Amino acid sequence: MKSKFIIKLIIFIFIPLSIKATEHVRLKTQFLFPSKMMESIGILKVLNRINTFSGNKIKFRIYEPNSIVPNFELWEAVGREQLQAAITLPGILAMKNPANTFFADIPFGPSFIEFNVWMEYGGGRELKNKIYGKKGIVSIDCWGLPPETAGWYKKEFDTIEELKGMKIRFMGIGSKVYNKFGINTVSLSSKDLLPELKRGNIDAAEFIRPDADLNQRLFDAVKFNYFPGWHSQNNVGELIINQNIWQKLSSNYQMIIKHVCEANYLNSYVSMNFNQIKPMNELNRKGVKFRNLNNKVLKNLKKAWKEVVQEESKKDPLFAEVYSAYQKFRDQYAIWGEKGYLK
């Protein structure tokens, strides 16, 4: 009896506390976007599959956007365990932490393939993990998103100077590029977008992609939809989990969460590209005029983006560090990337 007690005592002292694969885990999880939108990119299926593969042991308690904390405080809330998890976008955090720009919607950024090479083999993942680790959270890429459009405008334009003085809803670091040309950028939630366009309080709006733009009925207020989305050629959705909770999960639980998210990451990117065909045809039938930004406009925007990078690098050492690693990777990758694929 005494020996058994000693063995149990040794196990208790020397084996780290963890949530065993036989125990139930309940994760209070807030969404950045409404559940209906999350369903279209497979996130509800992801959470259900994690629950199923864990033998109904891991359950996410879902809360709608802004219901527990404001959306822009999701990372802090997860870090201090006010929430155990959240479904969000790295690019939104970039508004507080500009270095996050290089882990998601990078202006004039790489293709889907090159972006993932950067993240998995070029040093991006290590930098992201270091940044998130300091916030007390773990990030797992859970869905991939195709390019956004360059926005919806009330009139056609051939030069970027024609937009000077306009008030445009524009999110992310790309707004700083527009500001260079005297364009006033504002942040607006999706529910305020159409009303503000109809009232004339804003002159144009960048939102997401044709499927989401169609659902927002932006065509009721403006008819010119410009491409390509220079500010967001790739985007990534993430599941973030409190670091202490993650470390206590069994290796089996961690593996289930990672593998289910990885499977949805690729599938969502492919399906979301396919899902733009029908909405674009529908928008066309509703009288929307699709336009391409000309080379001169793109050249001026790219030049302004480089200026923003230099300014942000001077202000923020972390931004400078991540940008330097990102650009070094792109320069090295170019010998293959510029020759291996048809343009």
Side-chain angles (χ1 to χ4, degrees):
M1 283 291 291
K2 194 172 182 180
S3 62
K4 286 183 180 179
F5 174 79
I6 292 172
I7 291 171
K8 287 181 180 179
L9 184 62
I10 291 171
I11 290 172
F12 177 78
I13 293 172
F14 292 102
I15 294 182
L17 291 174
S18 64
I19 298 172
K20 299 185 178 68
T22 56
E23 296 179 12
H24 291 270
V25 180
R26 298 292 179 264
L27 301 174
K28 185 163 63 174
T29 306
Q30 184 173 309
F31 282 179
L32 177 67
F33 298 113
S35 297
K36 187 175 181 181
M37 189 180 293
M38 293 291 93
E39 187 174 13
S40 69
I41 50 179
I43 291 303
L44 297 183
K45 287 182 180 178
V46 164
L47 302 186
N48 286 332
R49 283 171 180 163
I50 290 171
N51 180 242
T52 299
F53 294 156
S54 67
N56 299 318
K57 299 292 176 59
I58 304 175
K59 187 172 181 61
F60 294 84
R61 292 173 177 162
I62 297 170
Y63 295 85
E64 293 299 317
N66 298 303
S67 57
I68 299 177
V69 300
N71 278 348
F72 290 120
E73 295 179 13
L74 284 173
W75 290 266
E76 290 85 352
V78 172
R80 63 176 177 259
E81 213 174 318
Q82 183 179 359
L83 293 166
Q84 283 80 53
I87 298 288
T88 186
L89 298 170
I92 300 296
L93 181 58
M95 299 180 77
K96 287 185 174 182
N97 182 25
N100 250 47
T101 295
F102 302 103
F103 307 135
D105 43 352
I106 312 169
F108 296 96
S111 67
F112 180 75
I113 294 295
E114 185 181 350
F115 171 78
N116 282 281
V117 176
W118 147 243
M119 289 300 296
E120 302 307 326
Y121 299 98
R125 182 71 57 202
E126 288 82 359
L127 286 165
K128 184 181 181 184
N129 288 344
K130 182 175 77 170
I131 291 169
Y132 277 56
K134 289 180 179 178
K135 292 182 174 294
I137 54 181
V138 172
S139 169
I140 303 160
D141 293 346
C142 225
W143 76 94
L145 300 170
E148 297 184 3
T149 82
W152 292 72
Y153 299 79
K154 291 183 177 180
K155 64 178 185 179
E156 293 183 87
F157 61 93
D158 292 315
T159 67
I160 195 68
E161 288 76 18
E162 292 175 61
L163 303 182
K164 185 177 181 179
M166 282 190 180
K167 185 179 285 188
I168 300 177
R169 187 270 191 186
F170 210 96
M171 304 291 281
I173 201 167
S175 62
K176 295 184 178 183
V177 175
Y178 262 4
N179 295 155
K180 291 272 181 190
F181 300 96
I183 301 167
N184 301 313
T185 55
V186 296
S187 298
L188 281 177
S189 67
S190 57
K191 66 181 177 63
D192 295 325
L193 199 50
L194 184 59
E196 291 296 281
L197 279 168
K198 284 184 172 181
R199 294 186 191 112
N201 292 335
I202 56 174
D203 303 298
E206 166 272 331
F207 189 48
I208 309 181
R209 284 162 298 280
D211 60 334
D213 295 352
L214 177 63
N215 288 334
Q216 288 292 117
R217 299 188 65 84
L218 298 183
F219 56 85
D220 283 342
V222 285
K223 294 295 184 184
F224 295 100
N225 190 196
Y226 273 81
F227 296 79
W230 57 271
H231 62 291
S232 181
Q233 282 291 286
N234 277 298
N235 213 331
V236 177
E238 60 186 358
L239 165 64
I240 58 174
I241 298 176
N242 175 272
Q243 191 175 59
N244 291 330
I245 290 175
W246 176 259
Q247 290 172 348
K248 291 177 183 177
L249 293 176
S250 70
S251 58
N252 286 345
Y253 280 175
Q254 291 180 356
M255 192 179 300
I256 287 169
I257 294 170
K258 283 183 176 180
H259 287 347
V260 172
C261 277
E262 284 173 359
N264 190 66
Y265 178 64
L266 177 59
N267 183 66
S268 60
Y269 182 81
V270 173
S271 64
M272 285 293 285
N273 273 277
F274 174 77
N275 290 344
Q276 304 315 307
I277 300 171
K278 186 176 178 181
M280 287 194 75
N281 282 316
E282 181 65 21
L283 288 169
N284 191 43
R285 285 192 290 269
K286 292 183 180 298
V288 171
K289 308 297 182 184
F290 298 130
R291 297 289 185 266
N292 288 343
L293 297 173
N294 62 45
N295 288 334
K296 183 178 179 181
V297 169
L298 289 171
K299 184 178 179 180
N300 285 336
L301 287 169
K302 192 170 186 178
K303 180 182 177 182
W305 162 237
K306 290 180 178 179
E307 291 175 7
V308 170
V309 165
Q310 295 305 314
E311 291 166 359
E312 292 296 320
S313 295
K314 288 178 182 177
K315 291 189 299 184
D316 184 350
L318 182 59
F319 183 96
E321 177 189 356
V322 179
Y323 171 72
S324 176
Y326 162 77
Q327 193 56 54
K328 182 179 179 181
F329 160 75
R330 293 208 76 184
D331 291 343
Q332 293 172 339
Y333 185 82
I335 192 170
W336 161 248
E338 293 177 2
K339 295 177 175 59
Y341 294 91
L342 286 170
K343 299 295 186 290

